[in-house]
Amino acid sequence: MITEIKGLHHVTSMAGNAQKNNDFFTKTLGLRRVKKTVNFDAPDVYHLYYGDELGTPGSVMTYFPFPNIGRARHGTGEVGDTEFAVAPGALAFWEQRLVQEGVKGLSRETSFGESRLRFAGPDGDGFALVEAARDERAPWAGSDVPEDMGIKGFSGARFRVKNAAASVELLRFMGYEVTERDGDITRLVLPGGNGADRIDLHQMPSAPMAQQGAGSVHHIAFAVEDRAAQLAVRKQLMDTGYQVTPVIDRDYFWAIYFRTPGGILFEVATNEPGFDRDEDTAHLGEALKLPKQHAHLRDRIEAILPPLSN
Ligand code: ZN
């Protein structure tokens, strides 16, 4: 069994409008934009990262805003809800704030005996806020969200799958343990994880398969401490029959990717080197950073990208 995984690292999704996306995460949700860069494979498209003060693994929501992309059709084989942790008692504050901000898809529901507040992002992205006891992570203090109400990072994610069995087997191999079942939902928790350490599998055998578009999660990344741990995970996955990519340098972490039986693309990303490797922590996310292979295209890229105000 794999013992190197610590919980989530980041979640990467697709958006339509970059400015709306930026404003939703930095203003409505009160996260910090920790990096403004471009897609490695499509350098005329932004890659925007939002998280806590430093973009600590387990707090980082990232987006590719494609201006002309169609909306997603949600279904199985995808991350349904990305879940953020807030302090016990904070949901009432958030419900009022999200209503005032005109956020769509708001609903309060109870799952595993806990209250959760579901809401939709600007492109219909599925999110939920959950109250997490004993979560010591500090929210970003630079927004207008009171610090005792702020988002601490991810608590985890809820996947929609046709059949949960193969995903249960994979997540158990990755170190997660099945803790509870509530109707069609199986909960797995990673003991000793980074706080973003819970995965719910919602089995929906008769739902249609998802089609990716704006508002879809593109992939979900799990955290390992360093490159040695990542190589150990890669070897164990490949020995078990998974097709895993070589290690790819993503500037702020190293990444490997593999497709899971439930249809979701998983990544395993290193906690090193982090988002402060090329920017002062006081100014994270302010300047447009380009991967070195695209640096010579800066003038052209800056002319193509829509301007983004903070
Ligand atoms: Zn990623």
Side-chain angles (χ1 to χ4, degrees):
M1 191 185 83
I2 291 169
T3 56
E4 289 85 357
I5 288 171
K6 302 300 174 197
L8 295 184
H9 186 288
H10 63 270
V11 177
T12 294
S13 294
M14 292 181 287
N17 183 286
Q19 186 71 55
K20 277 189 190 154
N21 181 260
N22 180 82
D23 292 352
F24 186 77
F25 287 93
T26 62
K27 296 187 169 69
T28 305
L29 297 187
L31 301 181
R32 184 183 198 189
R33 194 177 73 216
V34 293
K35 197 61 63 183
K36 179 167 73 170
T37 181
V38 296
N39 185 313
F40 275 83
D41 304 313
D44 55 341
V45 172
Y46 277 122
H47 194 181
L48 303 174
Y49 291 76
Y50 312 101
D52 67 6
E53 182 182 11
L54 298 175
T56 306
S59 78
V60 183
M61 187 75 216
T62 100
Y63 273 89
F64 300 128
F66 290 94
N68 301 311
I69 195 179
R71 274 275 176 110
R73 192 188 76 184
H74 291 299
T76 57
E78 67 173 351
V79 177
D81 293 338
T82 301
E83 301 188 322
F84 293 109
V86 292
L91 286 191
F93 163 84
W94 279 102
E95 191 164 17
Q96 193 182 17
R97 180 178 174 94
L98 298 182
V99 167
Q100 275 169 4
E101 297 279 334
V103 170
K104 300 214 165 43
L106 276 171
S107 68
R108 249 327 229 293
E109 58 181 42
T110 302
S111 181
F112 295 96
E114 298 167 343
S115 184
R116 64 200 291 270
L117 179 63
R118 294 188 75 200
F119 62 99
D123 295 290
D125 334 38
F127 292 108
L129 287 161
V130 301
E131 295 179 348
R134 297 183 302 280
D135 189 329
E136 302 299 321
R137 295 177 293 168
W140 165 233
S143 82
D144 71 344
V145 175
E147 221 173 320
D148 55 346
M149 297 291 161
I151 289 173
K152 295 165 176 287
F154 300 123
S155 60
R158 182 168 289 187
F159 300 171
R160 286 190 287 257
V161 290
K162 285 241 183 254
N163 182 333
S167 300
V168 168
E169 190 183 342
L170 170 60
L171 287 163
R172 290 183 65 206
F173 182 61
M174 290 169 65
Y176 285 76
E177 293 176 359
V178 174
T179 58
E180 285 175 277
R181 286 197 172 80
D182 183 351
D184 300 326
I185 304 171
T186 304
R187 170 158 292 176
L188 295 103
V189 175
L190 185 75
N194 62 6
D197 43 23
R198 200 164 86 174
I199 301 288
D200 289 346
L201 298 172
H202 191 175
Q203 180 166 283
M204 305 172 84
S206 53
M209 285 290 287
Q211 285 177 1
Q212 286 205 330
S216 295
V217 172
H218 181 269
H219 64 266
I220 185 164
F222 295 83
V224 290
E225 196 55 45
D226 54 26
R227 299 187 72 188
Q230 183 178 54
L231 288 176
V233 170
R234 183 170 186 273
K235 179 174 188 322
Q236 291 171 86
L237 287 168
M238 290 184 68
D239 287 349
T240 313
Y242 285 96
Q243 305 255 359
V244 187
T245 66
V247 176
I248 301 171
D249 181 357
R250 292 304 191 197
D251 280 350
Y252 309 104
F253 46 86
W254 281 273
I256 56 174
Y257 303 86
F258 64 106
R259 186 70 63 180
T260 64
I264 298 170
L265 183 62
F266 276 14
E267 174 182 340
V268 177
T270 57
N271 289 350
E272 58 175 2
F275 294 99
D276 56 355
R277 69 171 282 272
D278 61 355
E279 270 180 310
D280 190 78
T281 55
H283 295 283
L284 281 187
E286 293 178 8
L288 177 67
K289 293 292 177 185
L290 296 179
K292 53 184 174 300
Q293 60 269 45
H294 300 314
H296 66 289
L297 300 173
R298 178 171 285 274
D299 287 352
R300 209 191 312 168
I301 290 171
E302 285 184 344
I304 292 171
L305 287 173
L308 197 57
S309 66
N310 284 331

